[in-house]
Amino acid sequence: EAQVTQNPRYLITVTGKKLTVTCSQNMNHEYMSWYRQDPGLGLRQIYYSMNVEVTDKGDVPEGYKVSRKEKRNFPLILESPSPNQTSLYFCASSLSTGYLDTDTQYFGPGTRLTVL
Amino acid sequence: GDSVTQMEGPVTLSEEAFLTINCTYTATGYPSLFWYVQYPGEGLQLLLKATKADDKGSNKGFEATYRKETTSFHLEKGSVQVSDSAVYFCALSGGSYIPTFGRGTSLIVHP
């Protein structure tokens, strides 16, 4: 089954404790991205990647890191999490460009992160 | 910059009622417009899209028409079902790698 998976689905942590949220897709997609969803603000893009070793900032990259060493994986790293990073996080992938017009994005189920 | 404004939720309806969820946008140029749906516990899924003015996107009984004169893309369905209960997101793409999403509108349909 074609899908985007994220782990963990739920995470409670404390300020300053490094964490990684994994994202994996089995569709051989080139484009992958991370979003955060906050009440009243909708989805905002954090980082995106056009292909292996190619990443770029989205609208809200501060406090996050990403890497794309393999095509299928795109982990989101919080080196020193803070309470304002408490949010619902979504990973997404698409076949090539990531342009919504021509390239449907497939979303993972989400990771709910709480930073105390 | 680009922005999308959706009506506040939740929208609560009885089964078979008519649904409208309003969406307006601001953007430079000629964006494409989208509606995504998020069912409980799942990621977003594309529901429908329209890529130019006056286009109508439709899927699963839902429709939305790209109105450039009113910068709107309202989502409608003639008769909602309990299974339509979900969060609906309006979005636009101005041709960049960074799409713009609205805040989402929760729809609750009662039997």
Side-chain angles (χ1 to χ4, degrees):
Chain A
E1 181 191 353
Q3 59 183 350
V4 178
T5 56
Q6 297 178 225
N7 282 292
R9 295 289 311 277
Y10 302 90
L11 178 60
I12 301 174
T13 190
V14 295
T15 299
K17 185 176 181 182
K18 180 179 179 180
L19 66 92
T20 299
V21 183
T22 65
C23 173
S24 182
Q25 49 90 6
N26 63 0
M27 296 170 278
N28 202 36
H29 284 172
E30 294 189 353
Y31 177 95
M32 297 183 75
S33 64
W34 277 103
Y35 297 86
R36 59 179 290 172
Q37 180 182 353
D38 301 292
L41 295 176
L43 268 75
R44 294 177 292 167
Q45 193 178 66
I46 302 170
Y47 269 95
Y48 66 92
S49 169
M50 296 296 293
N51 212 325
V52 175
E53 303 291 1
V54 180
T55 63
D56 209 344
K57 297 176 182 178
D59 282 332
V60 288
E62 294 77 19
Y64 304 94
K65 283 176 58 177
V66 292
S67 70
R68 188 93 183 271
K69 293 186 171 55
E70 306 166 279
K71 200 171 190 179
R72 63 182 293 127
N73 296 323
F74 190 46
L76 179 69
I77 303 154
L78 284 71
E79 295 266 359
S80 182
S82 62
N84 64 12
Q85 293 178 298
T86 292
S87 188
L88 180 58
Y89 291 87
F90 289 100
C91 180
S93 74
S94 62
L95 185 60
S96 57
T97 65
Y99 291 155
L100 291 188
D101 314 43
T102 54
D103 202 19
T104 300
Q105 287 202 18
Y106 295 84
F107 285 80
T111 295
R112 186 166 293 282
L113 172 65
T114 302
V115 183
L116 302 175
Chain B
D2 297 346
S3 69
V4 173
T5 302
Q6 288 182 238
M7 61 189 290
E8 292 259 1
V11 173
T12 304
L13 295 171
S14 297
E15 209 165 24
E16 299 184 4
F18 185 85
L19 168 71
T20 300
I21 300 178
N22 290 338
C23 171
T24 57
Y25 69 91
T26 58
T28 54
Y30 303 96
S32 294
L33 301 172
F34 308 83
W35 276 101
Y36 282 78
V37 59
Q38 181 183 23
Y39 297 105
E42 298 183 11
L44 280 71
Q45 303 171 28
L46 179 63
L47 180 59
L48 53 85
K49 69 178 184 182
T51 57
K52 61 183 188 297
D54 299 325
D55 266 4
K56 178 187 282 188
S58 61
N59 187 23
K60 298 181 181 180
F62 291 89
E63 294 183 337
T65 301
Y66 188 161
R67 303 277 188 208
K68 193 170 188 302
E69 63 277 13
T70 54
T71 61
S72 65
F73 192 56
H74 304 323
L75 182 69
E76 295 181 337
K77 187 175 185 184
S79 176
V80 294
Q81 306 300 312
V82 172
S83 58
D84 293 327
S85 298
V87 180
Y88 293 82
F89 291 89
C90 185
L92 72 81
S93 173
S96 77
Y97 297 118
I98 305 175
T100 300
F101 285 84
R103 64 173 62 184
T105 302
S106 175
L107 170 65
I108 301 168
V109 181
H110 293 295

